[in-house]
Amino acid sequence: YLMTDWTRVLSFDDVDHPYGDEDDAALEAEVNGNWTPQEKALHEARLKAKAKRRVRKSSSRSESLSESLSGELADGDSYSSKGKVPVPNDRKSRTGKGRGLPKKGGAGGKGVWGAAGMVYEVEEPDVKDPNYDEVAQGDTVYATVVPEVDERELEKTVNPIVREYFEHGDTKEVQMLLKELNLGHHKYEFSSLAVSLSLEGKASHRELTSRLLRDLVGKVLSESDMARAFDKILKELPDLMLDTPEAPQMLGQFIARAIADHALPMAFLDRYKGKVDCDHARAALDRAAVLLSMKREMVRLDNVWGVGGGLRPVKHLVKEMNFLLKEYLVSGEVKEAERCLRDLEVPHFHHELVYEAVVMVLESKGDTAVKMCKLLQAFWKIGLITVDQMNRGFQRVYDELPEINLDVPHAHSIMESFTDLCYQESVITKQLRDSCPSRGRKRFVSEGDGGLIKN
Protein backbone atom coordinates (compact mmCIF):
# COMPACT_ATOMS: atom_id res chain seq x y z
CA TYR A 1 0.00 0.00 0.00
CA LEU A 2 1.34 3.46 -0.91
CA MET A 3 0.50 6.57 1.28
CA THR A 4 1.69 10.23 1.24
CA ASP A 5 2.46 12.67 4.18
CA TRP A 6 3.10 10.81 7.33
CA THR A 7 2.67 7.59 5.45
CA ARG A 8 4.88 4.73 4.75
CA VAL A 9 4.70 1.57 2.77
CA LEU A 10 3.44 -1.28 4.82
CA SER A 11 4.12 -4.71 3.63
CA PHE A 12 1.92 -7.57 4.33
CA ASP A 13 4.50 -8.89 6.76
CA ASP A 14 4.09 -5.80 9.07
CA VAL A 15 0.50 -6.66 9.81
CA ASP A 16 0.00 -8.66 13.00
CA HIS A 17 -1.02 -12.15 12.19
CA PRO A 18 -2.68 -14.32 14.68
CA TYR A 19 0.07 -16.84 14.25
CA GLY A 20 3.80 -16.49 13.72
CA ASP A 21 6.07 -18.52 11.53
CA GLU A 22 6.45 -21.15 14.19
CA ASP A 23 2.73 -21.29 14.64
CA ASP A 24 2.26 -21.68 10.88
CA ALA A 25 4.72 -24.53 10.85
CA ALA A 26 2.98 -26.10 13.78
CA LEU A 27 -0.38 -25.62 12.14
CA GLU A 28 0.91 -27.18 8.92
CA ALA A 29 2.27 -30.12 10.92
CA GLU A 30 -1.10 -30.48 12.57
CA VAL A 31 -2.83 -30.51 9.24
CA ASN A 32 -0.50 -33.15 8.01
CA GLY A 33 -1.21 -35.15 11.18
CA ASN A 34 2.40 -35.34 12.31
CA TRP A 35 1.88 -33.98 15.94
CA THR A 36 2.31 -36.07 18.94
CA PRO A 37 -0.13 -35.62 21.90
CA GLN A 38 2.52 -33.88 24.00
CA GLU A 39 3.32 -31.34 21.30
CA LYS A 40 -0.36 -30.69 20.75
CA ALA A 41 -0.93 -29.94 24.47
CA LEU A 42 2.09 -27.66 24.61
CA HIS A 43 0.90 -25.75 21.59
CA GLU A 44 -2.50 -25.15 23.12
CA ALA A 45 -0.96 -23.85 26.35
CA ARG A 46 1.14 -21.36 24.38
CA LEU A 47 -1.91 -20.08 22.56
CA LYS A 48 -3.81 -19.54 25.80
CA ALA A 49 -0.90 -17.67 27.45
CA LYS A 50 -0.48 -15.42 24.44
CA ALA A 51 -4.16 -14.57 24.41
CA LYS A 52 -4.05 -13.66 28.13
CA ARG A 53 -1.13 -11.29 27.62
CA ARG A 54 -2.96 -9.47 24.86
CA VAL A 55 -6.09 -9.09 26.99
CA ARG A 56 -4.11 -7.73 29.96
CA LYS A 57 -2.25 -5.25 27.77
CA SER A 58 -5.37 -3.90 26.15
CA SER A 59 -7.14 -3.46 29.52
CA SER A 60 -4.27 -1.45 31.03
CA ARG A 61 -4.21 0.88 28.05
CA SER A 62 -7.92 1.59 28.39
CA GLU A 63 -7.61 2.37 32.13
CA SER A 64 -4.74 4.82 31.62
CA LEU A 65 -6.71 6.56 28.90
CA SER A 66 -9.78 6.96 31.11
CA GLU A 67 -7.71 8.30 34.03
CA SER A 68 -6.04 10.90 31.85
CA LEU A 69 -9.42 12.04 30.56
CA SER A 70 -10.87 12.30 34.08
CA GLY A 71 -7.82 14.30 35.24
CA GLU A 72 -8.28 16.82 32.47
CA LEU A 73 -11.96 17.23 33.28
CA ALA A 74 -11.31 17.88 36.98
CA ASP A 75 -11.63 21.43 38.43
CA GLY A 76 -7.90 22.08 38.56
CA ASP A 77 -7.42 19.89 41.70
CA SER A 78 -3.84 18.70 41.48
CA TYR A 79 -4.25 16.62 44.64
CA SER A 80 -7.10 14.37 43.51
CA SER A 81 -7.04 10.80 44.70
CA LYS A 82 -5.98 9.40 41.30
CA GLY A 83 -4.02 10.82 38.43
CA LYS A 84 -2.70 13.78 40.46
CA VAL A 85 0.34 15.63 39.29
CA PRO A 86 3.40 15.05 41.56
CA VAL A 87 4.67 18.11 43.46
CA PRO A 88 8.36 18.43 44.39
CA ASN A 89 9.16 17.89 48.14
CA ASP A 90 5.60 16.75 48.75
CA ARG A 91 5.41 14.73 51.98
CA LYS A 92 1.75 13.95 51.79
CA SER A 93 0.45 10.54 51.01
CA ARG A 94 0.01 9.83 47.30
CA THR A 95 -2.05 6.71 47.78
CA GLY A 96 -5.25 8.57 48.46
CA LYS A 97 -5.36 7.34 52.03
CA GLY A 98 -5.05 9.27 55.30
CA ARG A 99 -6.10 12.81 56.21
CA GLY A 100 -3.63 14.55 54.01
CA LEU A 101 -1.41 15.54 56.97
CA PRO A 102 2.40 15.42 56.89
CA LYS A 103 4.10 12.29 58.18
CA LYS A 104 4.69 12.10 61.95
CA GLY A 105 3.05 15.46 62.39
CA GLY A 106 5.99 17.21 60.78
CA ALA A 107 8.38 15.78 63.34
CA GLY A 108 10.02 13.23 61.12
CA GLY A 109 12.32 13.23 58.17
CA LYS A 110 15.91 13.96 57.44
CA GLY A 111 17.43 16.86 59.35
CA VAL A 112 14.37 17.25 61.58
CA TRP A 113 14.85 17.28 65.41
CA GLY A 114 11.21 16.94 66.32
CA ALA A 115 8.06 18.96 66.26
CA ALA A 116 8.09 22.67 67.00
CA GLY A 117 8.06 23.43 70.73
CA MET A 118 9.12 19.94 71.79
CA VAL A 119 11.48 19.91 74.80
CA TYR A 120 13.69 16.89 75.32
CA GLU A 121 14.71 15.75 78.81
CA VAL A 122 18.32 15.16 79.76
CA GLU A 123 19.13 11.56 78.99
CA GLU A 124 21.11 9.76 81.64
CA PRO A 125 24.14 7.90 80.31
CA ASP A 126 23.70 4.16 80.18
CA VAL A 127 26.50 2.13 81.72
CA LYS A 128 25.78 -0.69 79.27
CA ASP A 129 26.19 1.63 76.30
CA PRO A 130 29.30 0.63 74.27
CA ASN A 131 30.21 4.32 73.96
CA TYR A 132 29.93 4.94 77.72
CA ASP A 133 33.03 6.65 79.11
CA GLU A 134 33.32 6.62 82.89
CA VAL A 135 36.02 9.31 82.93
CA ALA A 136 33.89 11.72 80.91
CA GLN A 137 30.99 11.49 83.38
CA GLY A 138 32.76 13.59 86.01
CA ASP A 139 32.69 12.81 89.74
CA THR A 140 31.18 9.46 90.50
CA VAL A 141 29.22 9.12 93.74
CA TYR A 142 29.01 5.63 95.21
CA ALA A 143 26.14 4.94 97.60
CA THR A 144 26.15 2.11 100.10
CA VAL A 145 22.95 0.11 100.10
CA VAL A 146 22.29 -1.58 103.44
CA PRO A 147 19.83 -4.48 103.24
CA GLU A 148 16.95 -4.53 105.67
CA VAL A 149 17.50 -6.66 108.75
CA ASP A 150 15.42 -9.80 108.65
CA GLU A 151 12.92 -10.30 111.47
CA ARG A 152 14.56 -13.60 112.38
CA GLU A 153 17.98 -11.92 112.67
CA LEU A 154 16.70 -8.85 114.52
CA GLU A 155 17.12 -10.24 118.03
CA LYS A 156 20.64 -11.52 117.31
CA THR A 157 21.59 -8.07 116.02
CA VAL A 158 19.99 -5.97 118.76
CA ASN A 159 20.91 -7.98 121.88
CA PRO A 160 24.70 -7.34 121.66
CA ILE A 161 24.08 -3.62 121.18
CA VAL A 162 21.88 -3.41 124.29
CA ARG A 163 24.19 -5.52 126.45
CA GLU A 164 27.19 -3.45 125.44
CA TYR A 165 25.23 -0.30 126.23
CA PHE A 166 24.67 -1.60 129.77
CA GLU A 167 28.46 -1.58 130.13
CA HIS A 168 29.36 1.87 128.73
CA GLY A 169 26.05 3.77 129.08
CA ASP A 170 26.68 5.97 126.00
CA THR A 171 23.36 6.64 124.23
CA LYS A 172 25.04 8.44 121.31
CA GLU A 173 26.95 5.31 120.38
CA VAL A 174 23.68 3.35 120.30
CA GLN A 175 22.13 5.99 118.05
CA MET A 176 25.06 5.74 115.67
CA LEU A 177 24.82 1.94 115.54
CA LEU A 178 21.07 2.03 114.89
CA LYS A 179 21.48 4.53 112.05
CA GLU A 180 23.96 2.19 110.39
CA LEU A 181 21.40 -0.63 110.53
CA ASN A 182 18.39 -0.79 108.23
CA LEU A 183 15.74 -1.98 110.65
CA GLY A 184 12.94 -0.99 108.28
CA HIS A 185 9.44 -1.31 109.72
CA HIS A 186 10.79 -3.44 112.59
CA LYS A 187 12.65 -0.59 114.27
CA TYR A 188 10.03 -0.27 117.02
CA GLU A 189 11.03 -3.75 118.21
CA PHE A 190 14.38 -2.40 119.39
CA SER A 191 12.65 -0.66 122.30
CA SER A 192 10.68 -3.76 123.27
CA LEU A 193 13.82 -5.93 123.23
CA ALA A 194 15.75 -3.40 125.32
CA VAL A 195 13.00 -3.26 127.95
CA SER A 196 12.72 -7.06 128.03
CA LEU A 197 16.46 -7.42 128.62
CA SER A 198 16.48 -4.79 131.37
CA LEU A 199 13.66 -6.57 133.21
CA GLU A 200 16.02 -9.51 133.67
CA GLY A 201 18.89 -7.27 134.82
CA LYS A 202 19.58 -4.85 137.61
CA ALA A 203 17.97 -1.59 138.63
CA SER A 204 20.85 0.30 137.05
CA HIS A 205 20.14 -1.45 133.74
CA ARG A 206 16.52 -0.31 133.87
CA GLU A 207 17.63 3.22 134.61
CA LEU A 208 19.96 3.15 131.60
CA THR A 209 17.17 1.75 129.43
CA SER A 210 14.81 4.57 130.43
CA ARG A 211 17.47 7.11 129.50
CA LEU A 212 18.09 5.36 126.20
CA LEU A 213 14.40 5.44 125.26
CA ARG A 214 14.27 9.14 126.11
CA ASP A 215 17.28 9.96 123.91
CA LEU A 216 16.16 7.83 120.95
CA VAL A 217 12.77 9.56 120.55
CA GLY A 218 12.93 12.23 117.87
CA LYS A 219 16.29 11.05 116.53
CA VAL A 220 15.89 7.38 115.64
CA LEU A 221 12.40 6.47 116.85
CA SER A 222 9.11 8.34 117.01
CA GLU A 223 6.46 8.41 119.73
CA SER A 224 4.27 6.12 117.65
CA ASP A 225 7.14 3.60 117.40
CA MET A 226 7.56 3.75 121.17
CA ALA A 227 3.82 3.22 121.68
CA ARG A 228 3.90 0.16 119.41
CA ALA A 229 6.83 -1.22 121.41
CA PHE A 230 4.99 -0.94 124.73
CA ASP A 231 1.84 -2.40 123.16
CA LYS A 232 3.87 -5.45 122.22
CA ILE A 233 5.37 -5.73 125.72
CA LEU A 234 1.91 -5.59 127.29
CA LYS A 235 0.81 -8.49 125.09
CA GLU A 236 3.93 -10.50 126.00
CA LEU A 237 3.67 -9.74 129.72
CA PRO A 238 2.44 -13.23 130.76
CA ASP A 239 5.52 -14.78 129.14
CA LEU A 240 7.85 -12.24 130.74
CA MET A 241 6.48 -13.10 134.18
CA LEU A 242 7.85 -16.62 133.87
CA ASP A 243 11.39 -15.23 134.26
CA THR A 244 10.54 -12.01 136.12
CA PRO A 245 7.52 -12.26 138.47
CA GLU A 246 7.70 -8.52 139.20
CA ALA A 247 7.38 -7.67 135.48
CA PRO A 248 3.95 -5.90 135.74
CA GLN A 249 5.16 -3.43 138.39
CA MET A 250 8.42 -2.82 136.52
CA LEU A 251 6.61 -2.31 133.22
CA GLY A 252 4.28 0.18 134.90
CA GLN A 253 7.32 2.12 136.10
CA PHE A 254 8.76 2.03 132.59
CA ILE A 255 5.52 3.44 131.14
CA ALA A 256 5.32 6.19 133.77
CA ARG A 257 8.95 7.17 133.25
CA ALA A 258 8.55 7.20 129.44
CA ILE A 259 5.47 9.43 129.64
CA ALA A 260 7.26 11.78 132.06
CA ASP A 261 10.27 11.90 129.69
CA HIS A 262 7.93 12.64 126.73
CA ALA A 263 8.97 9.41 125.05
CA LEU A 264 5.35 8.19 125.08
CA PRO A 265 2.28 10.29 124.25
CA MET A 266 0.20 11.46 127.20
CA ALA A 267 -2.86 9.68 125.78
CA PHE A 268 -1.20 6.25 125.93
CA LEU A 269 -2.96 5.24 129.15
CA ASP A 270 -6.30 6.63 128.02
CA ARG A 271 -6.39 4.26 125.04
CA TYR A 272 -6.49 1.25 127.38
CA LYS A 273 -9.22 2.42 129.76
CA GLY A 274 -11.85 -0.29 129.92
CA LYS A 275 -10.25 -2.27 127.07
CA VAL A 276 -7.77 -4.50 128.93
CA ASP A 277 -8.71 -8.12 129.58
CA CYS A 278 -5.35 -9.34 130.93
CA ASP A 279 -4.97 -8.88 134.69
CA HIS A 280 -1.20 -8.48 134.46
CA ALA A 281 -1.46 -5.74 131.84
CA ARG A 282 -4.11 -3.99 133.91
CA ALA A 283 -1.79 -4.08 136.95
CA ALA A 284 1.03 -2.52 134.92
CA LEU A 285 -1.20 0.29 133.62
CA ASP A 286 -2.58 0.95 137.11
CA ARG A 287 0.96 1.17 138.47
CA ALA A 288 1.86 3.74 135.80
CA ALA A 289 -1.27 5.79 136.51
CA VAL A 290 -0.53 5.87 140.25
CA LEU A 291 3.07 7.02 139.72
CA LEU A 292 2.00 9.77 137.34
CA SER A 293 -0.65 11.03 139.72
CA MET A 294 1.85 11.10 142.62
CA LYS A 295 4.53 12.93 140.63
CA ARG A 296 2.30 15.35 138.78
CA GLU A 297 4.38 18.32 139.81
CA MET A 298 7.63 16.74 138.60
CA VAL A 299 8.84 16.90 135.04
CA ARG A 300 10.54 13.51 135.19
CA LEU A 301 10.36 10.50 137.46
CA ASP A 302 14.12 10.41 137.85
CA ASN A 303 14.08 8.27 140.98
CA VAL A 304 11.60 5.65 139.80
CA TRP A 305 14.43 3.07 139.66
CA GLY A 306 16.39 4.56 142.55
CA VAL A 307 19.85 5.98 142.09
CA GLY A 308 22.00 2.98 141.25
CA GLY A 309 25.68 2.31 140.95
CA GLY A 310 28.14 5.14 140.54
CA LEU A 311 25.31 7.64 140.21
CA ARG A 312 24.82 7.62 143.96
CA PRO A 313 26.52 10.28 146.10
CA VAL A 314 29.69 9.20 147.89
CA LYS A 315 28.27 10.07 151.29
CA HIS A 316 25.29 7.83 150.63
CA LEU A 317 27.55 4.92 149.62
CA VAL A 318 29.72 5.37 152.74
CA LYS A 319 26.62 5.41 154.92
CA GLU A 320 25.29 2.22 153.26
CA MET A 321 28.60 0.40 153.76
CA ASN A 322 28.79 1.43 157.39
CA PHE A 323 25.29 0.14 157.96
CA LEU A 324 26.20 -3.10 156.14
CA LEU A 325 29.20 -3.71 158.40
CA LYS A 326 27.31 -2.93 161.59
CA GLU A 327 24.50 -5.25 160.61
CA TYR A 328 27.03 -7.99 159.91
CA LEU A 329 28.68 -7.56 163.31
CA VAL A 330 25.28 -8.09 164.93
CA SER A 331 23.97 -10.94 162.77
CA GLY A 332 27.19 -12.53 161.53
CA GLU A 333 25.54 -13.52 158.20
CA VAL A 334 28.10 -13.36 155.42
CA LYS A 335 25.55 -14.15 152.68
CA GLU A 336 23.36 -11.21 153.61
CA ALA A 337 26.35 -8.88 153.65
CA GLU A 338 27.38 -10.19 150.24
CA ARG A 339 23.90 -9.56 148.82
CA CYS A 340 23.81 -6.01 150.17
CA LEU A 341 27.24 -5.24 148.74
CA ARG A 342 26.26 -6.57 145.31
CA ASP A 343 23.06 -4.51 145.29
CA LEU A 344 25.12 -1.34 145.68
CA GLU A 345 26.65 -2.07 142.22
CA VAL A 346 29.87 -0.17 142.92
CA PRO A 347 32.74 -2.64 142.38
CA HIS A 348 35.09 0.29 141.83
CA PHE A 349 34.27 1.59 145.33
CA HIS A 350 34.81 -1.64 147.32
CA HIS A 351 38.03 -0.20 148.75
CA GLU A 352 35.78 1.98 150.91
CA LEU A 353 34.31 -1.17 152.52
CA VAL A 354 37.82 -2.42 153.34
CA TYR A 355 38.76 0.97 154.77
CA GLU A 356 35.63 1.17 156.96
CA ALA A 357 36.11 -2.42 158.14
CA VAL A 358 39.72 -1.81 159.28
CA VAL A 359 38.79 1.48 160.99
CA MET A 360 36.02 -0.35 162.91
CA VAL A 361 38.60 -2.88 164.07
CA LEU A 362 40.84 -0.07 165.33
CA GLU A 363 38.02 1.75 167.14
CA SER A 364 36.28 -1.27 168.67
CA LYS A 365 37.15 -4.02 171.14
CA GLY A 366 36.42 -7.69 171.54
CA ASP A 367 36.19 -10.14 168.65
CA THR A 368 35.56 -7.48 165.99
CA ALA A 369 38.94 -8.15 164.37
CA VAL A 370 38.18 -11.86 163.93
CA LYS A 371 34.74 -11.22 162.43
CA MET A 372 36.04 -8.59 160.02
CA CYS A 373 38.87 -10.84 158.94
CA LYS A 374 36.34 -13.60 158.26
CA LEU A 375 34.17 -11.24 156.19
CA LEU A 376 37.10 -9.94 154.14
CA GLN A 377 38.31 -13.49 153.61
CA ALA A 378 34.87 -14.54 152.31
CA PHE A 379 34.71 -11.59 149.90
CA TRP A 380 38.26 -12.32 148.75
CA LYS A 381 37.59 -15.99 148.02
CA ILE A 382 34.46 -15.38 145.91
CA GLY A 383 36.18 -12.57 144.02
CA LEU A 384 33.80 -9.87 145.17
CA ILE A 385 36.72 -7.72 146.36
CA THR A 386 39.75 -7.74 144.09
CA VAL A 387 43.37 -7.54 145.18
CA ASP A 388 43.59 -4.00 143.92
CA GLN A 389 40.61 -2.86 146.01
CA MET A 390 41.95 -4.75 149.05
CA ASN A 391 45.41 -3.16 148.80
CA ARG A 392 43.93 0.27 148.23
CA GLY A 393 41.69 0.02 151.32
CA PHE A 394 44.56 -1.03 153.62
CA GLN A 395 46.87 1.60 152.14
CA ARG A 396 44.34 4.34 152.92
CA VAL A 397 44.35 3.23 156.56
CA TYR A 398 48.17 3.24 156.59
CA ASP A 399 48.22 6.82 155.31
CA GLU A 400 45.69 8.07 157.86
CA LEU A 401 47.07 6.08 160.80
CA PRO A 402 48.81 9.08 162.46
CA GLU A 403 45.49 10.95 162.55
CA ILE A 404 43.62 7.88 163.79
CA ASN A 405 46.24 7.46 166.51
CA LEU A 406 45.10 10.78 168.03
CA ASP A 407 41.74 9.21 168.86
CA VAL A 408 42.98 5.64 169.32
CA PRO A 409 46.33 5.67 171.20
CA HIS A 410 47.02 1.98 170.54
CA ALA A 411 46.13 2.15 166.85
CA HIS A 412 49.61 1.08 165.67
CA SER A 413 49.75 -2.06 167.74
CA ILE A 414 46.17 -3.03 166.86
CA MET A 415 46.96 -2.46 163.20
CA GLU A 416 50.04 -4.66 163.33
CA SER A 417 48.15 -7.53 164.95
CA PHE A 418 45.23 -7.23 162.49
CA THR A 419 47.51 -7.26 159.45
CA ASP A 420 49.26 -10.35 160.81
CA LEU A 421 45.88 -12.06 161.22
CA CYS A 422 44.79 -11.12 157.69
CA TYR A 423 48.07 -12.38 156.31
CA GLN A 424 47.65 -15.70 158.06
CA GLU A 425 44.16 -16.05 156.57
CA SER A 426 45.52 -15.19 153.07
CA VAL A 427 43.51 -12.01 152.86
CA ILE A 428 46.47 -9.70 152.13
CA THR A 429 49.89 -10.23 150.62
CA LYS A 430 53.20 -10.33 152.47
CA GLN A 431 54.27 -7.11 150.81
CA LEU A 432 51.18 -5.33 152.10
CA ARG A 433 51.75 -6.67 155.60
CA ASP A 434 55.38 -5.53 155.63
CA SER A 435 54.39 -2.03 154.53
CA CYS A 436 52.30 -1.55 157.68
CA PRO A 437 53.77 1.44 159.61
CA SER A 438 55.03 0.83 163.15
CA ARG A 439 55.47 3.45 165.87
CA GLY A 440 59.16 3.75 166.90
CA ARG A 441 60.02 4.05 170.61
CA LYS A 442 62.13 7.15 171.42
CA ARG A 443 64.03 6.69 174.71
CA PHE A 444 65.95 9.63 176.16
CA VAL A 445 69.04 9.06 178.37
CA SER A 446 68.33 11.86 180.85
CA GLU A 447 67.36 15.47 180.98
CA GLY A 448 71.01 16.56 181.31
CA ASP A 449 72.15 14.91 178.11
CA GLY A 450 70.88 17.75 175.99
CA GLY A 451 68.03 15.78 174.49
CA LEU A 452 70.18 13.11 172.91
CA ILE A 453 68.36 9.98 171.81
CA LYS A 454 69.74 6.68 173.07
CA ASN A 455 70.48 4.19 170.35
Side-chain angles (χ1 to χ4, degrees):
Y1 299 98
L2 181 63
M3 299 180 67
T4 60
D5 293 335
W6 302 93
T7 61
R8 65 187 180 89
V9 179
L10 297 175
S11 65
F12 183 78
D13 297 335
D14 294 335
V15 180
D16 293 337
H17 294 281
Y19 306 103
D21 295 339
E22 295 180 357
D23 296 334
D24 293 341
L27 182 60
E28 185 178 357
E30 183 182 4
V31 173
N32 296 334
N34 297 329
W35 273 9
T36 61
Q38 292 81 1
E39 293 176 348
K40 186 176 180 180
L42 180 60
H43 178 66
E44 291 177 358
R46 288 179 179 176
L47 292 178
K48 291 180 181 180
K50 191 172 184 180
K52 287 183 179 180
R53 286 196 299 270
R54 289 186 178 183
V55 172
R56 191 181 298 112
K57 186 175 183 181
S58 62
S59 63
S60 63
R61 287 179 180 177
S62 62
E63 288 179 1
S64 61
L65 180 59
S66 62
E67 288 178 359
S68 61
L69 291 175
S70 62
E72 292 176 358
L73 296 175
D75 297 335
D77 187 6
S78 61
Y79 295 98
S80 60
S81 61
K82 291 184 179 180
K84 59 185 179 181
V85 180
V87 179
N89 300 328
D90 183 18
R91 296 183 180 179
K92 294 185 178 180
S93 175
R94 299 173 185 173
T95 61
K97 299 179 181 179
R99 296 176 296 171
L101 300 177
K103 289 183 179 181
K104 301 181 181 179
K110 185 177 180 181
V112 179
W113 286 68
M118 182 180 293
V119 179
Y120 292 93
E121 297 180 356
V122 179
E123 184 178 359
E124 295 294 334
D126 187 6
V127 180
K128 298 181 180 180
D129 189 354
N131 297 325
Y132 178 80
D133 186 6
E134 185 178 358
V135 179
Q137 303 306 322
D139 297 335
T140 303
V141 179
Y142 296 94
T144 304
V145 179
V146 181
E148 183 177 346
V149 178
D150 189 24
E151 185 177 2
R152 294 171 295 182
E153 301 292 333
L154 181 63
E155 186 174 355
K156 296 181 181 179
T157 306
V158 170
N159 281 0
I161 297 177
V162 177
R163 295 187 184 278
E164 186 178 357
Y165 166 70
F166 289 159
E167 299 295 332
H168 58 71
D170 189 359
T171 59
K172 293 184 178 179
E173 183 175 350
V174 178
Q175 295 176 19
M176 180 183 66
L177 294 175
L178 291 180
K179 289 179 180 179
E180 294 177 356
L181 295 176
N182 184 10
L183 298 179
H185 57 282
H186 298 295
K187 62 181 180 179
Y188 74 94
E189 296 188 16
F190 173 82
S191 302
S192 61
L193 290 173
V195 173
S196 300
L197 288 175
S198 65
L199 292 178
E200 302 173 1
K202 306 175 183 178
S204 59
H205 294 169
R206 293 187 281 275
E207 174 66 23
L208 290 173
T209 303
S210 295
R211 295 186 180 187
L212 179 62
L213 299 182
R214 178 194 65 194
D215 294 344
L216 289 180
V217 172
K219 298 177 181 178
V220 180
L221 302 175
S222 61
E223 290 187 359
S224 59
D225 294 332
M226 202 66 66
R228 290 183 63 188
F230 278 99
D231 291 338
K232 182 180 178 182
I233 300 173
L234 287 172
K235 294 178 182 178
E236 298 175 351
L237 196 55
D239 297 333
L240 294 175
M241 290 185 61
L242 298 177
D243 298 328
T244 309
E246 302 85 5
Q249 290 74 22
M250 293 182 181
L251 183 57
Q253 294 176 202
F254 264 117
I255 295 175
R257 175 69 179 270
I259 293 176
D261 289 342
H262 304 289
L264 274 177
M266 296 295 296
F268 180 79
L269 295 178
D270 298 336
R271 298 186 309 175
Y272 284 96
K273 286 185 176 180
K275 301 179 182 179
V276 182
D277 298 331
C278 179
D279 295 336
H280 305 303
R282 189 183 300 110
L285 295 173
D286 292 342
R287 173 67 172 169
V290 169
L291 290 175
L292 289 173
S293 61
M294 292 173 56
K295 303 291 183 179
R296 188 175 301 173
E297 302 296 331
M298 298 181 63
V299 179
R300 295 175 181 172
L301 298 172
D302 289 333
N303 295 326
V304 69
W305 303 115
V307 184
L311 301 176
R312 301 183 182 186
V314 175
K315 292 183 179 179
H316 177 76
L317 292 175
V318 173
K319 182 179 179 181
E320 290 290 333
M321 290 183 177
N322 267 315
F323 180 76
L324 182 156
L325 293 173
K326 291 179 181 179
E327 185 179 2
Y328 164 72
L329 290 177
V330 175
S331 63
E333 296 183 1
V334 179
K335 292 292 184 181
E336 181 65 19
E338 177 188 348
R339 186 190 64 80
C340 295
L341 183 60
R342 291 185 184 275
D343 290 343
L344 292 178
E345 301 179 17
V346 284
H348 59 282
F349 201 60
H350 285 175
H351 61 85
E352 180 67 26
L353 178 73
V354 178
Y355 172 81
E356 295 293 337
V358 176
V359 171
M360 281 188 180
V361 171
L362 298 178
E363 294 178 351
S364 61
K365 298 179 181 179
D367 59 348
T368 304
V370 178
K371 290 184 177 180
M372 287 300 179
C373 182
K374 180 181 178 181
L375 180 65
L376 294 178
Q377 182 186 22
F379 289 167
W380 167 262
K381 287 183 178 180
I382 63 177
L384 186 59
I385 297 180
T386 62
V387 61
D388 178 64
Q389 296 293 318
M390 189 73 71
N391 293 342
R392 188 174 178 184
F394 272 87
Q395 192 63 45
R396 285 179 57 190
V397 179
Y398 292 167
D399 296 339
E400 297 180 8
L401 197 56
E403 298 179 3
I404 298 175
N405 191 58
L406 299 177
D407 299 327
V408 183
H410 304 287
H412 284 84
S413 59
I414 298 174
M415 189 67 195
E416 289 179 2
S417 61
F418 184 68
T419 53
D420 291 338
L421 178 62
C422 291
Y423 175 72
Q424 293 175 4
E425 298 295 335
S426 301
V427 177
I428 61 175
T429 61
K430 183 177 183 299
Q431 182 180 3
L432 183 62
R433 186 202 64 173
D434 295 340
S435 61
C436 178
S438 60
R439 182 177 181 180
R441 298 180 179 179
K442 298 182 179 180
R443 300 175 60 185
F444 296 93
V445 177
S446 65
E447 295 180 359
D449 292 337
L452 298 176
I453 299 176
K454 184 177 180 181
N455 293 330

